[in-house]
Amino acid sequence: MDFEMEEVNCPICEKSREDPLHQEGSFQMVRCSSCQFIFLNPRPTIESLHHFYQKYLPEEQSSIESWEKMMKSIFRRAANILMRYRRNGRLLDVGSGFGFFVAEMKNRGWEAMGVEISQKALDYARNVLGLTVHPGPLEKVGFPDNHFDAVTGFYVIEHLPLPKAFLMECCRILKPGGLLLLRYPHTTPIKNLLHFFGIKNRLYDLPAHLSDFSPKMIQQCLERIGFEGGQHLIGGYTLPRGLGKRTASILFGSLSEALFYLSGKKILFPGVSKTILAFKGNAKSPSPLMGEGVGGGEHDGLPPPP
Ligand SMILES: [Zn+2]
């Protein structure tokens, strides 16, 4: 697919000075000289991205099922985490795709809905799964202020041209004390390692991914926007198709999980996907719920928020 490309300033600090970092085909990731954010520049225009996402997700039923299998354990873990703070409430999953996480939360008694930019995925979620899904992007839906108890986004923020605006919108539509849960890849440490050994790869998945957040960067952004109590965790791993990818995902996922717990939840293994949970400020953040059934008995290592 041909993309119409444009030069942009840093999506986080808006400065225009940057250094080249990694090349993948004709695309280049750069590092902002001012805030160190890593992003694609030049990048496809917002319009050309919108066209791209109409074809991004698979269409055949077998591929949709594989997609569900790939994400299942991540979704279950995330649902358990949310249920540790609230037994039910109103939830929005941004970039809800086929709607599997919305369905999971609906089954658990939440009033759950999605926002999705891909028309085919939205149709699937509405017509096959019977879910409520709004056409994206999020900023165009216009939800009221302080509307949701929880907002989630799985592998979404790295696709967004305006990640800061997205986080601000999440903050606006969340109730005070509401939960934000984001899952995102962190690829640069592995890119650096492979580059060192001269191993060619396309791990950044350009131009689909427009940026590569580090845990520190995402935490800083959330705090500046008005979130508090941000906590990272490994949060499981995906099960992609293909033996090589699947083995790598299980191996690094389990290793990083083990390291996280053995280090007293201090070491976040670089290069693997992570989940961050944060709370909208200006109110007492919720404490984890006690009692049977909450959290599904699974240990995610989350301390109570401050
Ligand atoms: Zn910057």
Side-chain angles (χ1 to χ4, degrees):
M1 174 171 174
D2 284 334
F3 292 96
E4 197 186 318
M5 304 292 282
E6 63 181 352
E7 286 271 352
V8 292
N9 286 356
C10 170
I12 299 297
C13 75
E14 285 147 36
K15 303 253 164 65
S16 61
R17 283 191 52 210
E18 65 202 32
D19 300 307
L21 184 66
H22 290 296
Q23 190 88 24
E24 270 184 24
S26 56
F27 302 108
Q28 171 153 274
M29 282 299 236
V30 301
R31 190 196 299 267
C32 171
S33 321
S34 173
C35 75
Q36 314 298 309
F37 187 57
I38 292 165
F39 61 102
L40 177 66
N41 206 14
R43 71 168 187 211
T45 59
I46 291 177
E47 209 165 67
S48 111
L49 284 168
H50 189 84
H51 288 297
F52 173 67
Y53 282 113
Q54 301 314 312
K55 305 250 176 221
Y56 186 66
L57 292 168
E59 279 178 52
E60 319 78 54
Q61 186 57 33
S62 64
S63 304
I64 295 174
E65 282 163 17
S66 299
W67 185 275
E68 185 182 12
K69 277 189 199 137
M70 176 173 87
M71 295 300 293
K72 205 171 188 127
S73 103
I74 300 282
F75 287 159
R76 212 192 64 222
R77 295 284 290 269
N80 289 345
I81 293 166
L82 294 177
M83 302 253 334
R84 196 163 290 171
Y85 294 92
R86 285 193 71 97
R87 284 196 173 82
N88 49 52
R90 191 184 290 138
L91 176 139
L92 179 71
D93 186 32
V94 184
S96 51
F98 302 110
F100 298 123
F101 186 67
V102 178
E104 170 87 34
M105 295 311 286
K106 204 176 151 193
N107 288 339
R108 290 181 184 228
W110 285 59
E111 186 196 331
M113 61 195 82
V115 174
E116 175 52 50
I117 198 169
S118 153
Q119 187 61 44
K120 280 171 191 156
L122 178 145
D123 289 344
Y124 183 93
R126 277 183 184 170
N127 304 335
V128 180
L129 302 182
L131 304 170
T132 305
V133 181
H134 301 268
L138 171 65
E139 291 83 349
K140 285 206 177 144
V141 184
F143 289 112
D145 293 354
N146 309 318
H147 192 59
F148 291 98
D149 298 291
V151 172
T152 54
F154 296 88
Y155 297 109
V156 167
I157 197 163
E158 69 276 13
H159 293 269
L160 301 177
L162 303 169
K164 217 166 62 174
F166 160 74
L167 293 175
M168 286 162 81
E169 181 67 358
C170 291
C171 192
R172 183 186 72 76
I173 62 177
L174 270 170
K175 294 176 186 172
L179 296 103
L180 176 71
L181 185 146
L182 300 173
R183 174 108 187 138
Y184 65 99
H186 181 211
T187 309
T188 300
I190 292 191
K191 286 294 287 191
N192 293 344
L193 189 71
L194 295 177
H195 180 76
F196 179 79
F197 289 109
I199 301 169
K200 288 225 179 303
N201 62 84
R202 288 189 175 256
L203 286 183
Y204 272 137
D205 195 10
L206 306 179
H209 292 185
L210 305 181
S211 63
D212 194 50
F213 275 89
S214 67
K216 193 177 158 201
M217 179 64 76
I218 209 157
Q219 185 100 20
Q220 276 176 358
C221 286
L222 289 174
E223 280 167 16
R224 276 184 204 146
I225 284 165
F227 286 95
E228 53 190 43
Q231 305 153 36
H232 265 101
L233 60 152
I234 302 293
Y237 44 82
T238 53
L239 288 174
R241 268 209 287 201
L243 189 63
K245 275 189 181 173
R246 181 176 286 229
T247 310
S249 181
I250 294 173
L251 185 72
F252 286 109
S254 317
L255 182 69
S256 47
E257 198 96 57
L259 206 63
F260 180 63
Y261 290 119
L262 288 173
S263 68
K265 296 154 203 161
K266 287 195 181 73
I267 297 179
L268 283 167
F269 196 75
V272 299
S273 293
K274 290 169 185 76
T275 297
I276 185 165
L277 178 72
F279 305 85
K280 177 173 172 175
N282 305 323
K284 197 178 173 295
S285 299
S287 299
L289 299 166
M290 296 298 167
E292 233 176 296
V294 176
E298 204 171 1
H299 178 64
D300 270 305
L302 282 174

